[in-house]
Amino acid sequence: MLTMQRASWEQGVAAQALLEYEHYVARYPKQDLLPKLQVDPMVYLYGMAHEACLRASVDGRLATRVNSDDEGSDGGALDPACVGEAGIFVLEHILASSDSTAEPMRKAIDDMMNYLLVKAPRMEIREGDIPENLLPKDHDQGVLSHTKSHKNPQLWIDGVYMAPTFMVSYALSDLERFEGADSTQRTSWWQYLDSALDQVILYFHFLRLPSGLLGHIYDCNARAFSVDIRPGMNGSKAWGVGNGWALGSIVRILNALDRFFEQRCTQETTVRTAFLRWLEKVDTSKRLGSVAGLLTYTLPIILSYNDLTSTEGLFHNIIDDPSTFVETNLAQMISATIFRLLQLLKNGSLVKRYFSDLDDAWKEIMAAKAESLRNSAVAKVDKWGMVRGTCSSPRFDRPGTATEGQAWAILMEVGRAEFIMASS
């Protein structure tokens, strides 16, 4: 994975895979389910975060600048945020405040958040765009465009993974940075959390297809799915990997919140008081309940196509179109999502309350399905460790290999290991 050339979101998901590996081995130092790296993962995490910040474009987007192109050749508004959580971890757990690289890294991460809040194009919500009861009254008034073009803003399904996950991590870091009497008075951190959850809900709303699957690209100006993205593909197609990004976003957000709750809310502090106050708000419960419902509603719809489409136990590139090629990465993404959800339902301190309707029979079925999908994906790994048959970079229009395919293989294995340890 680390040998592969990477775009901004690929840098982000690769760093996230290493970060979740690091969280796992820190929690279970004597584990033997995953191989131990020959080099401390902190070294890799520092290097990847450092490079993402070093190659930030002048508008604040991380990991976008190639050579001397100050504007950044990457056309994404949200993809560059994907690496932000790893950068925050490096600042909080690796770098000392006196380290010469800490200040520029902090500035770069702050600039990324400022880009999302101030500079990124948005689709303004018009009357009739969303049902009246979809969100609390104080909801986001605009949906972040995945692309940086203000003239042609678009919602891409993978954007729901890229920005909201970073916004949650940034919000929790922001709360901790100002620990003390001031922290309960600050409003920005909880506004960031609310906004992140709103973005997930809004993306799912606008991209939902009649089948229950999620479309790929929505044209904000036309208020319709885009057409003619590339040969054989348009925005209304239920792209498999895109649906995987969307569900992966939800469990990543819930995992971040649960980990923060577990690590920071065991002792009486102003941080604990402020976080619990946010959790106890009626609007927070509505938002988190809605996000949890999006996951449990969409997951079985995706899985219903697995048994029908491929003798390899995988999915087709367009989930509901058996004429498209058989693709590997969605199986990894769904397996990782299920394992992470089941782990949170086993030993999560916070998340359980939002999934109270899931019984033991459902959990057993999901665990078996996650293991089956994993076995199908592992069968596609060659002697070089490359996951074959993933939707292939750089155009993602054919089977091949991709950094994200390698990263999700790691995320799947970490999620599975976490689930096994939680069940033991």
Side-chain angles (χ1 to χ4, degrees), residues 5 21 70 93 95 104 137 140 148 155 224 231 253 343 421:
Q5 190 164 321
Y21 173 89
D70 289 341
H93 298 277
L95 295 181
K137 292 182 180 179
D140 260 5
K148 68 174 185 174
L155 311 183
I253 287 171
Q343 173 260 315
M421 296 302 289

Side-chain angles (χ1 to χ4, degrees), residues 32-35 303 306 312-315 327-339 365-381 387-388 405 408-420:
D32 58 4
L33 289 170
L34 299 178
L303 287 172
N306 179 248
E312 296 178 83
L314 301 169
F315 297 89
E327 196 277 329
T328 307
N329 198 26
L330 179 57
Q332 298 184 135
M333 300 169 103
I334 298 302
S335 179
T337 295
I338 295 172
F339 279 132
I365 292 170
M366 288 296 111
K369 195 65 183 176
E371 189 70 18
S372 174
L373 291 170
R374 175 199 177 253
N375 291 339
S376 296
V378 168
K380 302 294 285 187
V381 179
V387 182
R388 299 289 175 175
W408 277 101
I410 296 171
L411 290 166
M412 176 180 68
E413 292 301 299
V414 172
R416 178 176 180 267
E418 290 265 16
F419 168 66
I420 291 172

Side-chain angles (χ1 to χ4, degrees), residues 224-261:
F225 284 103
S226 299
V227 297
D228 299 329
I229 300 168
R230 56 179 178 259
M233 183 68 168
N234 64 56
S236 65
K237 299 290 187 181
W239 180 40
V241 170
N243 280 256
W245 284 119
L247 297 196
S249 167
I250 293 176
V251 291
R252 182 172 161 186
I253 287 171
L254 295 177
N255 190 42
L257 292 171
D258 203 277
R259 188 170 60 248
F260 184 86
F261 182 85

Side-chain angles (χ1 to χ4, degrees), residues 156 216 227-234 239 317 391 395-398:
W156 291 32
H216 184 194
V227 297
D228 299 329
I229 300 168
R230 56 179 178 259
M233 183 68 168
N234 64 56
W239 180 40
N317 185 50
C391 195
R395 294 188 58 83
F396 301 95
D397 58 352
R398 65 197 67 190

